[in-house]
Amino acid sequence: MIQSSATAPLFIGSDIYRASTYGAGHPLAVPRVSTAIDLCRALGWLPASAYRNSPIAEEPALRRFHDPAYLAALRRAEETQSVTEMDRTRFRIGTDNNPVYREMFRRPATSAGGVLEAVRLTSGGGIAHVPGGGTHHGRPDRASGFCYLNDCVLGILSWLDQGLARVLYLDLDAHHGDGVQDAFAEDARVLTVSIHEAGRWPHTGLAEDRAGGSARNLPVPPGYNDSEARFLLQEAVLPLIHRFRPDAIMMQCGADALEEDPLARLALSNNAYWSAVAAVMPMAPRLVVLGGGGYNPYTVARCWAGIWAVLSEQEIPQKLPEEAETILRRLVYNRAAGRNPPVHWTTTLRDPPREGSVRTEIRQLAALTLQEF
Ligand SMILES: [Zn+2]
């Protein structure tokens, strides 16, 4: 279905992620995008022709969704490296979750610029990977859940502004994609589909919640495994996409549903993400794949590098070459698991599969998702 004007898959990254941190005690202290880029380069998967540097989004583009007063507060906080009590209360910045840090405006604005660039470059058809994007909790006038801006919403709005009639958003992050769902509630042009851990923050995204018809939610129980992910893909997600016939698909591949993630209790291997990307790829003429959550640098970087392998049709080797192993061995991860990482975290890209039984609630969820009411 890819149109003839489609270009080869593009990887959109930036060096801004390389030395940027939310602070030593924050889950986003770890390097993720830069490690994924380094792995792809070490594997020979990123020729100059496939790589684009993400521009910083311009103010008017950000105002398409965000409140000018909030954007001004973000710039002010970056400049002064502090927030007033009023800005903290009003915009939820300078908090434990959404701290003041060195690039707190430029980094999210670069992620937004990357997603907007991906949408622009795929206007005539094509595939782009923007692992720095995926900030799905961001609100028009406040930060939420480590997200200051909402690059997913900005990208979808840009597709709609191009005149596309149907955009599908698929969110595989362990947390509900609440900011995107709310932005397009009751907008028939956008269908948001989110698979996330039941009972976890932000506690929205119940199966019954359809946002006036423009959302489907699949809250899954702890221990969600590869077999269950395959079942939901085949029995719920792909049929939904088939019915909706999207002109474009945006996939948020937050990697916190992987078993080794410290912030969620799901149990996927990276095979589940790669299979989902491979299955969704042929279902629309335009596909933009984003990152999102994911707080174990070993598992996030390997997952996202593998997603690029799927998108750009590279063969994933059984064992990583020395240069790639070195990148992983040099990671610093200040959690118990990081002190003595399992061998496969540094020697392979592909996890062992994590199959299991498909529980009754998963079967019910698939049936409910396709039910019209
Ligand atoms: Zn998440």
Side-chain angles (χ1 to χ4, degrees), residues 32 134 136-137 145-147 171-176 196 200-202 252 254-257 261 263-264 292-295:
R32 311 179 317 146
H136 59 167
H137 300 305
F146 318 160
C147 305
D171 187 317
L172 303 184
D173 192 283
H175 302 88
H176 176 226
H196 46 268
R200 180 163 296 285
W201 187 91
Q252 198 267 21
D256 43 10
D261 192 86
L263 261 58
Y295 306 97

Side-chain angles (χ1 to χ4, degrees), residues 18 29-36 38-39 295-302 320 324-335 337-341 345-346:
R18 196 166 290 278
V30 299
R32 311 179 317 146
V33 177
S34 53
T35 312
D38 292 346
L39 283 177
Y295 306 97
N296 175 329
Y298 300 92
T299 58
V300 179
R302 289 165 54 248
L320 287 173
E325 262 197 48
T326 306
I327 291 159
L328 291 165
R329 270 201 244 100
R330 283 184 185 152
L331 284 173
V332 176
Y333 180 42
N334 287 323
R335 284 189 178 254
R339 283 193 279 279
N340 195 9
W345 284 9
T346 54

